[in-house]
């Protein structure tokens, strides 16, 4: 059957076949079966698309709603349907099937203003494509708040409540449900604004604004709503408590302050100080150096801000400099307007403070022996508070190498430089020490010390104050008479005032930035004039008036002698038992003194300060232990300073030009001879030289007299030789070592340091008789747990016997050469703080960290260990191991009985506590001189 379509539109027609009659001309006759079918035309007709909205040429708002009907005889491919407005497609339009096709709808939002084209397109199932378009004009229509306050907080008294409207008629405003249209103005076309002069004041609280009207475009009802909070009340923040991390009870710089507070406010937001902040109330803030707590001597506040932007601060609280000791001494009284009943002392027992002042221009230096680690013990009194650093060890290298001296007749200029981190407000003062007072301090106090000598810790006749004025630096010599300061003259800019506190405050320096007299041409002349430094014992110090405290920051002593040295020794070498003869080349002084200190040895020891009663008795004792030897003696009768037997002697003679220093109880070796002349209670000359002492005859038959050099000193280290692998121990019945030991591993990389006096027992508590240390092959190292945050650094040791215990902890030190250190640092990604020492816990099958410090300068990693087992060096990212120079444990010897301290006076400049603060510098730096000042 042949069929021909009248229209190729893809339509189909059912064909039904019916046989009515069959005629055949031959026989036989066949039987036929009919089969019905369908006739389908080709689909060459595209879908029919009718856009029902918007109408062509319509003006519409920026949210354009589009609807259309799409039909096709052969069917519509729904996946091909798209709607675009201004070339931008509507995402996921809604498609609804209907007979013969579907409807489609969607809304384009925020269409740009102006002429735009709406296009609806689709294809049928045969791929025939069609589209329909409408040309529209997009006009601004609707209501918009400007400014938009929705969800905001404001502290404005009259916040602007205003809305813009376009193509809207019948606009009204409602405030908190009340129609306030009558209280609005129209400052410009299409704007409605609340008029406060008509409405009245707006109360604090939450407010809801509704603006509505009828659209002139499509007659729809348009409405906009905003809700905001008005809050004009300042928050009230109150500090309810401050706890400090060093335990002295005073808020200080460079410590963690935990500040508790409360905030009273309807809409609180945040409380902050520095970079520390918190949104809780009540709450706490941790304010440390990382959060900006780096400078003291200032008032600080907390700031509270609420959500509306109202800001308020707490009552101020004072942050002090980070002092070691606070001293309340009610009997101290006042001096020239300074209240001395409350004082404080900075931590002079750190190198950055003890060595903050360097002096140049002297004739020489009173050199120290080589100093190691010193233990320090401070007993606080009822009026003295010390922080948790009070009993910290004084590490090697803390103190200056000596104290300079000048010779008055030779003249010259004293220059100094000073730099103290984190101190931005302090005044530099130079005063002359009262030798009688300092002498009594060193002797541990005496009932013969008069009140006047205590009051005159430093002379009031001549004090130098450095300052500034007129934009330049300078200094003044002043005399203190009663409560008045008198100007004696000076140089450069200075702000003088007869009131001492006012003058100190007006002439403060930022010591953290440093100050150098040589840079500013402000060196002090040495001589005898009123504005020169004459003979005497001086101290340069920095003091500050910190809130209610007169505080000492740092100090450095020096001496000006009356004449040049005429000292010599009769020889350069002596046999032990023969005295070292000191000769003075001029007229015999009233007193001549000398001391021998062994060179080539390291002096450790301890210092004990008793601040129960402030005064000359506060220095209870000081021990200088040569090479750790604890058998001690008093260096000189009356001086409360002890030295290891065999390491030093002192002597004194009155009205004599010759002095003999005994040597029979000394060790052989090189000694520094310090020689001093005294007249009228003052140091008049100083000299020093080196001599050698021999156990047998001296090598040179005819020794020649020596010429004293400008200064002295010594170096090197002494002690028992280290042993390798193992060592038997000399130990007392109480389990304490009777001598120090150093035992190295066979490779020499690792060593054990066991200080004298260490309590050492085996696993059963019996005194330890032997110890050993052996390198451990990495292949034999106990396994590191899978997934551990640390990795083995290639070095491990076995310390035996296992389970041996030590108190205090001993040092396990890994020392590397340059190549080894380079490999280790590469493994640590050059972060020394990630290096840790761990011990292996056999029962738990885990590695445990022990206290570790790293010193990159010496390429050492030091661990403090309390028992013996397997130890290894590991890299643990994020471990934050201290990268500092390790300290060496020192055993404290038995302290002898001391004399009763003397009660401080009721009057005086703040030198009482200053002497206590700097006494260690005075003792060590100029100790050789002071030990032998008086009989």
């Amino acid at each position: 059957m042949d069929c021909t379509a009248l229209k190729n539109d893809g339509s189909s027609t059912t064909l039904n076949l019916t046989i009515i009659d069959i005629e055949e001309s031959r026989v036989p006759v066949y039987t036929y079966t009919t089969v019905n079918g369908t006739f389908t035309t080709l689909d060459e007709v595209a879908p029919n698309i009718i856009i029902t909205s918007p109408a062509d040429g319509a003006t519409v708002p920026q949210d354009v709603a589009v609807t259309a009907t799409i039909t096709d005889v052969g069917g519509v491919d729904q996946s091909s349907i798209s709607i675009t407005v201004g070339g931008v497609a509507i995402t996921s339009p809604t498609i609804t099937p209907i007979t013969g096709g579907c409807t489609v709808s969607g809304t384009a939002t925020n269409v740009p203003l102006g002429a735009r084209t709406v296009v609806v397109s689709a294809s049928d199932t045969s791929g025939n494509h069609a589209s329909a378009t409408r040309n529209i004009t997009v006009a601004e229509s609707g209501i918009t708040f400007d400014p938009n306050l929705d969800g905001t907080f404001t502290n404005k008294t009259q916040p602007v409540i205003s809305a813009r409207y376009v193509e809207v008629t019948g606009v009204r405003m409602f405030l908190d449900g009340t129609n306030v249209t009558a209280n609005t103005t129209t400052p410009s076309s299409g704007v409605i604004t609340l008029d406060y002069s008509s409405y009245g004041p707006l109360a604090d609280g939450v407010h809801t604004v509704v603006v509505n009207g009828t659209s002139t475009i499509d007659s729809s009802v348009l409405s906009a709503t905003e809700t905001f909070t008005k809050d004009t009340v300042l928050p009230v923040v109150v500090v309810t408590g401050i706890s400090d991390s060093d335990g002295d009870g005073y808020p200080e710089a460079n410590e963690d302050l935990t500040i508790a507070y409360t905030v009273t406010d309807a809409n609180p937001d945040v409380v902050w100080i520095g970079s520390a902040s918190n949104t809780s109330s009540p709450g706490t803030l941790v304010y440390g150096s990382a959060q900006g707590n780096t400078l003291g001597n200032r008032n600080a506040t907390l700031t509270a801000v609420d959500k509306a932007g109202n800001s308020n601060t707490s009552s101020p609280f004072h942050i002090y400099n980070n002092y070691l000791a606070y001293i309340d001494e009610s009997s101290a009284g006042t001096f020239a307007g300074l209240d001395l009943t409350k004082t404080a002392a900075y931590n002079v027992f750190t190198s950055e403070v003890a060595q903050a002042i360097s002096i140049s221009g002297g004739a020489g230096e009173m050199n120290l022996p080589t100093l190691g680690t010193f233990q320090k013990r401070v007993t606080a009194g009822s009026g003295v508070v010390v922080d948790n650093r009070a009993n910290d060890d004084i590490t090697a290298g803390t103190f200056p190498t000596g104290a300079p001296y000048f010779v008055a007749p030779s003249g010259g200029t004293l220059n100094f430089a000073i730099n103290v981190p984190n101190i931005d407000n302090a005044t530099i003062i130079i005063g002359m020490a009262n030798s009688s007072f300092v002498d009594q301090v060193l002797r541990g106090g005496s009932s013969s010390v008069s009140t006047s000598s205590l009051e005159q810790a430093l002379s009031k006749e001549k004090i130098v104050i450095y300052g500034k004025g007129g934009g330049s630096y300078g200094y003044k010599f002043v005399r203190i008479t009663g409560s008045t300061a008198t100007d004696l003259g000076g140089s450069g800019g200075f702000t003088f005032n007869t009131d001492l506190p006012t003058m100190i405050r007006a002439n403060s320096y930022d010591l953290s930035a440093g100050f150098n007299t040589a840079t500013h041409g402000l060196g002090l002349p040495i001589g005898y004039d009123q504005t020169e430094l004459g003979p005497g014992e001086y101290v340069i110090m920095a003091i500050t008036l910190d809130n209610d405290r007169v505080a000492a920051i740092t100090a450095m002593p020096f001496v000006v002698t009356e004449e040049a040295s005429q000292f010599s020794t009769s020889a350069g070498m002596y046999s032990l038992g023969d005295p070292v003869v000191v000769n003075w080349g001029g007229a015999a002084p009233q007193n001549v003194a000398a001391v021998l200190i062994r060179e080539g040895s390291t002096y450790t020891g301890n210092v004990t300060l008793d601040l129960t009663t402030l005064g000359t008795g506060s220095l209870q004792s000081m021990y200088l232990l040569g090479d750790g030897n604890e058998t001690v003696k008093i260096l000189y009768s009356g001086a409360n300073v002890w030295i290891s037997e065999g390491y030093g002697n002192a002597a004194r003679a009155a009205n004599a030009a010759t002095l003999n220093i005994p040597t029979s109880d000394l060790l052989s070796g090189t000694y520094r001879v310090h020689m001093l002349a005294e007249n009228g209670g003052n140091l008049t000359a100083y000299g020093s030289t080196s001599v050698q002492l021999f156990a047998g005859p001296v090598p040179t038959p005819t020794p020649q007299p020596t010429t004293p050099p400008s200064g002295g000193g010594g170096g090197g280290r002494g002690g028992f030789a280290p042993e390798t692998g193992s060592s038997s121990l000399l130990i007392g019945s109480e389990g304490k070592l009777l001598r120090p030991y150093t035992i190295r591993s066979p490779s020499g990389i690792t060593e054990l340091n066991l200080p004298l006096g260490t309590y050492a027992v085996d696993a059963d508590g019996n005194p330890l008789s032997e110890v050993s240390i052996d390198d451990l092959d990495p292949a034999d190292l106990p396994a590191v747990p899978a997934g551990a945050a640390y990795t083995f650094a290639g070095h491990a040791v076995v310390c035996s016997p296992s389970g041996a215990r030590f108190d205090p902890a001993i040092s396990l030190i890994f020392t590397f050469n340059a190549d080894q250190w380079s490999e280790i640092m590469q493994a640590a990604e050059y972060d020394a703080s990630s290096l840790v020492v761990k011990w292996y816990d056999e029962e738990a099958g885990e590695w445990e960290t022990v206290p570790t410090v790293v010193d990159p300068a010496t390429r050492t990693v030091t661990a403090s260990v309390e028992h013996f087992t397997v130890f290894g060096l590991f890299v643990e990212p994020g471990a934050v191991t201290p990268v500092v120079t390790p300290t060496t444990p020192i055993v404290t010897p038995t302290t002898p009985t001391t004399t009763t301290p003397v009660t401080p006076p009721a009057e005086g400049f703040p030198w009482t506590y200053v002497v206590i603060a700097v006494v260690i510098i005075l003792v060590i730096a100029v100790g050789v001189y002071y030990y032998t000042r008086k009989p």
Side-chain angles (χ1 to χ4, degrees):
M1 178 183 293
D2 293 329
C3 298
T4 301
L6 299 177
K7 184 178 181 181
N8 291 331
D9 59 0
S11 59
S12 298
T13 301
T14 301
L15 298 179
N16 296 319
L17 181 62
T18 303
I19 300 176
I20 300 174
D21 183 37
I22 299 176
E23 294 181 1
E24 300 186 16
S25 60
R26 296 180 180 85
V27 180
V29 176
Y30 294 93
T31 301
Y32 294 90
T33 302
T34 62
V35 178
N36 296 328
T38 301
F39 173 68
T40 302
T41 67
L42 294 174
D43 189 356
E44 297 177 339
V45 179
N48 183 35
I49 302 175
I50 300 174
I51 299 175
T52 56
S53 176
D56 193 43
T59 298
V60 298
Q62 287 183 277
D63 292 345
V64 181
V66 180
T67 59
T69 301
I70 307 172
T71 59
D72 188 270
V73 174
V76 177
D77 180 4
Q78 293 186 9
S79 66
S80 69
I81 298 173
S82 72
I83 305 174
T84 64
V85 179
V88 179
I90 296 176
T91 304
S92 302
T94 301
I95 301 173
T96 304
I98 61 173
T99 301
C102 61
T103 61
V104 61
S105 62
T107 301
T109 60
N110 295 318
V111 178
L113 303 177
R116 297 289 180 264
T117 300
V118 177
V119 178
V120 179
S121 62
S123 298
D124 61 18
T125 56
S126 297
N128 299 302
H129 184 75
S131 63
T133 62
R134 291 288 186 268
N135 293 315
I136 61 174
T137 298
V138 178
E140 189 175 32
S141 176
I143 302 169
T144 305
F145 284 106
D146 185 17
N148 184 4
L149 301 180
D150 192 45
T152 66
F153 294 79
T154 180
N155 59 8
K156 294 181 179 179
T157 304
Q158 295 182 344
V160 176
I161 301 176
S162 181
R164 293 184 297 109
Y165 55 91
V166 178
E167 299 293 341
V168 181
T169 187
V171 177
R172 298 180 300 171
M173 178 181 286
F174 296 84
L175 178 57
D176 298 329
T178 300
N179 189 339
V180 294
T181 308
N183 304 113
T184 63
T185 62
T186 304
S188 60
S189 178
V191 177
I192 183 171
T193 302
L194 181 66
D195 182 6
Y196 283 100
S197 63
S198 173
Y199 177 80
L202 182 67
D204 278 15
V206 179
H207 299 283
T208 300
V209 182
V210 177
V211 176
N212 59 24
T214 302
S215 172
T216 60
I217 295 175
D218 56 8
S219 299
S220 62
V221 176
L222 301 178
S223 179
T225 302
E226 68 176 7
T227 299
F228 68 92
T229 301
K230 177 188 174 186
D231 180 1
T232 59
V233 178
L234 298 182
V236 176
V237 55
V238 177
V239 176
T240 58
I242 302 176
S243 61
D244 62 313
S245 58
D246 67 8
D248 59 17
Y250 289 85
E252 296 172 313
N254 291 298
E255 66 170 345
D256 289 339
L257 303 179
T258 301
I259 307 171
Y261 65 86
T262 59
V263 175
T264 303
D265 191 83
N267 305 289
D269 188 13
V270 64
V271 179
W272 60 269
I273 180 173
S275 63
S277 63
N278 195 347
T279 57
S280 301
S281 178
T284 59
L285 293 168
V286 177
Y287 183 45
S289 56
Q291 292 76 37
N293 183 24
T294 57
L295 295 175
N297 197 2
R298 62 187 175 95
N299 286 333
T301 59
L302 299 187
T303 299
V305 181
D306 65 18
K307 294 177 181 178
N310 299 299
S311 177
N312 200 6
T313 59
S314 68
S315 297
F317 55 91
H318 192 76
I319 296 181
Y320 292 88
N321 292 317
N322 197 359
Y323 298 114
L324 176 69
Y326 290 83
I327 303 167
D328 292 345
E329 189 178 355
S330 59
S331 62
T334 61
F335 176 85
L338 285 176
D339 182 3
L340 307 182
T341 61
K342 293 181 180 292
T343 56
Y346 210 53
N347 188 11
V348 74
F349 303 109
T350 63
S351 59
E352 65 181 11
V353 180
Q355 299 183 46
I357 302 173
S358 59
I359 299 174
S360 60
E365 187 172 77
M366 307 169 90
N367 291 89
L368 307 181
T370 301
L371 299 178
T373 298
F374 274 72
Q375 288 185 329
K376 176 172 88 280
R377 292 294 178 266
V378 179
T379 301
S382 59
V384 178
V385 174
V386 294
D387 66 20
N388 57 10
R389 301 168 295 173
N391 294 332
D392 287 352
D393 287 350
I394 306 170
T395 58
T398 293
F399 294 111
T401 58
Y405 65 89
F406 297 78
V407 179
S410 302
T413 302
L414 178 147
N415 277 294
F416 65 89
I418 180 170
N419 183 290
V420 186
N422 302 312
I423 299 296
D424 66 344
N425 182 358
T427 303
I428 302 168
I429 293 179
I430 300 178
M432 182 186 296
N434 181 301
S435 60
S436 297
F437 178 80
V438 177
D439 177 69
Q440 290 299 329
V441 170
L442 295 168
R443 294 173 182 272
S446 169
S447 59
S448 64
V449 178
S450 66
T451 300
S452 61
S453 68
L454 282 168
E455 291 176 353
Q456 300 294 329
L458 263 73
S459 171
K460 304 171 188 175
E461 291 300 311
K462 186 187 290 186
I463 296 174
V464 182
I465 303 177
Y466 274 81
K468 54 192 175 183
S472 62
Y473 294 105
Y475 64 81
K476 285 287 186 184
F477 282 82
V478 299
R479 177 184 296 120
I480 304 299
T481 305
S483 60
T484 303
T486 302
D487 183 355
L488 301 180
S491 177
F494 189 88
T495 304
F496 180 81
N497 196 292
T498 57
D499 179 67
L500 188 59
T502 301
M503 186 161 52
I504 289 174
R505 289 190 175 93
N507 292 283
S508 63
Y509 286 178
D510 180 359
L511 298 187
S512 65
F515 175 74
N516 192 323
T517 58
T519 302
H520 300 282
L522 293 175
L524 290 175
I526 304 298
Y528 297 93
D529 289 344
Q530 182 171 261
T531 55
E532 295 179 335
L533 294 178
E537 301 134 25
Y538 294 88
V539 61
I540 303 175
M541 64 177 61
I543 69 169
T544 186
L545 305 184
D546 194 346
N547 195 32
D548 58 342
R549 303 276 163 178
V550 181
I553 302 299
T554 186
M556 179 67 194
F558 66 94
V559 174
V560 178
T561 65
E562 289 185 2
E563 57 184 316
S565 172
Q566 299 184 52
F567 283 113
S568 64
T569 57
S570 61
M573 293 178 285
Y574 297 87
S575 295
L576 289 176
D578 294 337
V580 173
V581 180
V582 174
N583 296 313
W584 172 256
Q590 290 180 354
N591 289 290
V592 61
V595 64
L596 282 175
I597 297 291
R598 192 170 189 261
E599 295 186 311
S601 296
T602 298
Y603 291 82
T604 56
N606 64 85
V607 176
T608 302
L609 298 176
D610 185 353
L611 304 184
T612 305
T613 303
L614 296 175
T616 57
S618 295
L619 176 63
Q620 280 199 333
S621 64
M622 177 176 178
Y623 290 85
L624 296 171
L625 305 181
D627 301 323
N629 292 307
E630 286 196 307
T631 303
V632 295
K633 65 176 184 179
I634 291 180
L635 181 62
Y636 188 79
S637 176
N640 204 8
V641 178
W642 300 67
I643 193 170
S644 297
E645 286 188 358
Y647 284 79
N649 272 333
R652 174 189 171 275
N655 301 312
T658 300
L659 178 68
N660 294 334
I661 310 174
T663 66
S664 58
D665 59 345
L666 300 180
L667 300 174
S668 60
T670 302
Y671 285 74
R672 172 64 53 178
V673 188
H674 298 268
M675 302 163 286
L676 309 105
E678 178 191 72
N679 286 287
N682 295 311
L683 172 67
T684 56
Y686 170 81
S688 71
T689 189
S690 291
V691 297
Q692 290 181 289
L693 302 183
F694 294 89
V698 297
T700 303
T702 311
Q704 299 297 318
T706 60
T707 301
S710 60
R717 298 183 61 182
F720 298 93
E723 301 182 49
T724 300
S726 64
S727 176
S728 58
L729 303 179
L730 184 61
I731 195 164
S733 59
E734 296 180 353
K736 293 187 177 182
L737 297 179
L738 299 179
R739 52 154 286 194
Y741 291 86
T742 298
I743 305 99
R744 292 175 178 166
S745 66
S747 69
I749 291 177
T750 314
E751 71 179 36
L752 288 166
N753 283 346
L754 288 71
L756 180 149
T758 301
Y759 180 73
V761 295
D762 61 21
D764 298 323
N766 301 313
L768 201 59
S769 60
E770 185 177 16
V771 296
S772 66
I773 178 172
D774 196 13
D775 301 292
L776 181 64
D777 191 317
D780 298 328
L781 185 80
V784 175
Y790 52 89
T791 57
F792 181 51
H795 299 274
V797 293
V798 178
C799 297
S800 301
S802 178
R805 293 177 287 113
F806 304 91
D807 186 17
I810 62 174
S811 296
L812 176 70
I813 305 172
F814 293 81
T815 303
F816 302 100
N817 61 34
D819 292 338
Q820 293 166 337
W821 184 253
S822 178
E823 292 178 2
I824 291 172
M825 290 308 297
Q826 185 175 3
E829 297 184 350
Y830 301 97
D831 180 8
S833 67
S834 67
L835 297 177
V836 294
V837 175
K838 294 176 178 286
W839 68 277
Y840 186 68
D841 186 341
E842 292 183 356
E843 294 183 1
E846 295 181 351
W847 289 93
E848 303 289 345
T849 301
V850 297
T852 308
V853 292
V854 181
D855 187 356
T858 57
R859 300 190 293 273
T860 58
V861 180
T862 302
S864 296
V865 300
E866 297 178 337
H867 67 285
F868 273 176
T869 180
V870 175
F871 297 92
L873 179 63
F874 293 84
V875 175
E876 186 172 359
V880 196
T881 299
V883 182
V884 296
T885 302
T887 59
T888 303
I890 302 298
V891 177
T892 305
T894 303
T895 304
T897 304
T898 59
T899 56
T900 303
V902 178
T903 303
E907 189 70 27
F909 196 67
W911 309 129
T912 339
Y913 76 91
V914 169
V915 170
I916 300 305
V918 304
V919 68
I920 303 306
I921 289 182
L922 291 171
V923 168
I924 296 178
V926 204
V928 172
Y929 158 60
Y930 285 129
Y931 300 158
T932 56
R933 286 283 290 126
K934 306 282 185 197

